[in-house]
Amino acid sequence: MRAKKFLCEIIFILGILFLSANSSFAAAWVNFPVSWDIGQAFAISITSNADYSNPVVTWKGRSINLNVEQGGAGKISYGLLGSDVRNTKPGNYDILFEFVQGGKKYKASGTITLNERKYPQEKLTVSPKMVNPPKKELKRIREESKAISAALRTMTTVRRWTTPPQPPLANITLTSHYGFQRVYNGVPRSGHNGADIRAANGTHVRAPFAGTVILTGFHYYAGGSVYIDSGNGVITAFFHLNEINVKKGDKVEKGQIVAKSGSTGRVTGPHLHYSLILGGQFVDPIPLLSTSITQMLKKGTQSQVNSL
Ligand SMILES: [Zn+2]
C-alpha cells in the first residue's frame, strides 16, 4: 500500500492497482471538490469499470451508504454532501471513500477545504415564548429534539433522489435565505437552517424527491413538520405547515403533495420553511433546485484509486 500526498493541498490517495483473474484491469475513481463554501451542497461519486459493493463515504463524522448503479466508467455511486452553517468552522476536512472489489476493501481519502461564506443578519420579532420557552414546554421541546435527531440519523442505501428536485411550491420567492444569522427580539440565535419561501396558508407542498416519510408532527418551534428520507443520507423537511397529508412510513413519489403550508410554530407570518439535510448537515436547499448531480460533479476533481 502506498500513500502519496499531492502538493495541491488536497488529495491524499491510498491506492492499489490490481490485475483481475482474467487479466483485465479493474480501476476505480473518486470525485470530490477541492474546496467548497460552508452551507452549500456538493456532489461526490465513486465509479469503476468493474463491479464493486458496499460503497460508503465518511464525511463530518457520518458514514453514508451509497448505491451502486449503471453509469460512469461502468458502475457508479452518487452522493450529495455539505456542511451545516450552524456548526462548521472554515478549514480542512477529511473525506473517506470505501468500497469492496474483488473480495478486497479499498479506501481513498482526501481533504476538502471549507470556506467561510458571509450570510447576513436578520432581525425578527416573534412571540416572547418562542425565544425563551416557558418551563412547562421544555420537556416537550427536549422530546421533539430527540425524535428529530433520531430521524436525521436515518440511513438507507437505495437512491430515491434525482436531480434537480421538484420545487416544493409552484412559485419559489424567498422571504428569508438560508444561513441568515437570526436575531429574535434582539437575542442572537443560530443561523437559519433552511430557506423560507413565500406561501399563503394552505398552499400545496410537494415532495422534492421520492422517498419515505420518517417523521411528522406539530413541533414547538417548527410547527407542522414533515421529514422525508430519499436515501444516501438525503433528507428534506418542511416546517410551519397547517396541514400534513402523510404519515410516518408512507412512501411518496417525487412531486406528490405531502402537506399544506401555514404559520404554525415560531413564525412571523405564513410561509414554507424548506430544509435540505445531507448526512445530518443542514445545507442551503435553493441552489440545488436549478442544477443536477452531473453538473455538480463537474466542479469536483476526479482521482484514480489504484491498487497493487
Ligand atoms: Zn425558516
Side-chain angles (χ1 to χ4, degrees):
M1 193 95 92
R2 192 164 56 100
K4 193 173 178 184
K5 193 158 195 171
F6 285 86
L7 277 179
C8 49
E9 87 254 2
I10 32 150
I11 306 170
F12 179 65
I13 304 169
L14 285 175
I16 326 183
L17 252 184
F18 89 90
L19 210 54
S20 71
N22 63 8
S23 294
S24 66
F25 277 104
W29 296 265
V30 294
N31 184 319
F32 61 92
V34 170
S35 87
W36 210 251
D37 281 358
I38 290 171
Q40 300 296 310
F42 60 87
I44 58 99
S45 68
I46 300 173
T47 187
S48 179
N49 57 4
D51 272 332
Y52 62 91
S53 62
N54 297 67
V56 173
V57 60
T58 302
W59 169 249
K60 289 198 100 236
R62 188 81 59 106
S63 289
I64 292 152
N65 299 334
L66 304 177
N67 205 16
V68 182
E69 303 168 28
Q70 302 290 343
K75 301 283 175 160
I76 192 160
S77 304
Y78 295 107
L80 282 176
L81 301 175
S83 53
D84 196 319
V85 68
R86 285 183 173 176
N87 56 26
T88 309
K89 292 196 166 62
N92 294 334
Y93 290 80
D94 293 336
I95 185 164
L96 174 70
F97 299 87
E98 295 169 280
F99 58 93
V100 175
Q101 192 168 53
K104 292 182 194 162
K105 193 162 185 177
Y106 292 91
K107 291 184 180 191
S109 63
T111 304
I112 299 175
T113 303
L114 292 179
N115 308 307
E116 181 149 30
R117 179 185 275 221
K118 287 267 175 271
Y119 294 103
Q121 208 180 60
E122 180 180 46
K123 290 190 174 65
L124 299 166
T125 305
V126 292
S127 156
K129 72 175 196 297
M130 286 300 176
V131 181
N132 293 305
K135 262 212 174 94
K136 66 174 175 59
E137 299 288 1
L138 294 180
K139 186 167 172 266
R140 170 192 170 184
I141 292 169
R142 236 185 351 256
E143 278 165 10
E144 288 171 356
S145 155
K146 260 194 227 161
I148 294 164
S149 303
L152 295 182
R153 282 193 297 272
T154 304
M155 187 54 64
T156 53
T157 303
V158 174
R159 179 169 78 97
R160 302 200 68 207
W161 53 273
T162 54
T163 54
Q166 160 78 41
L169 299 179
N171 186 352
I172 304 289
T173 305
L174 295 188
T175 56
S176 172
H177 291 257
Y178 169 89
F180 272 170
Q181 181 66 50
R182 301 190 126 176
V183 180
Y184 283 105
N185 303 358
V187 182
R189 284 288 189 263
S190 46
H192 189 210
N193 68 0
D196 290 348
I197 307 170
R198 177 166 298 144
N201 281 326
T203 309
H204 287 159
V205 178
R206 293 176 188 277
F209 305 116
T212 304
V213 177
I214 49 172
L215 180 67
T216 65
F218 283 83
H219 297 156
Y220 186 78
Y221 289 117
S225 304
V226 171
Y227 291 76
I228 303 167
D229 167 49
S230 298
N232 321 123
V234 175
I235 292 171
T236 47
F238 298 110
F239 302 158
H240 312 307
L241 305 166
N242 274 6
E243 190 183 309
I244 297 174
N245 305 121
V246 288
K247 58 182 191 312
K248 187 176 171 175
D250 283 358
K251 294 247 186 289
V252 297
E253 292 310 318
K254 183 174 186 170
Q256 183 178 327
I257 293 165
V258 294
K260 287 190 182 127
S261 69
S263 49
T264 55
R266 182 165 69 183
V267 292
T268 54
H271 69 274
L272 176 70
H273 172 107
Y274 171 33
S275 272
L276 172 64
I277 306 118
L278 303 174
Q281 307 283 313
F282 285 75
V283 304
D284 186 351
I286 299 303
L288 192 66
L289 291 176
S290 51
T291 189
S292 69
I293 186 84
T294 314
Q295 285 171 310
M296 291 169 85
L297 282 170
K298 286 184 185 148
K299 295 177 180 164
T301 304
Q302 183 144 300
S303 4
Q304 187 164 3
V305 182
N306 292 316
S307 342
L308 299 177

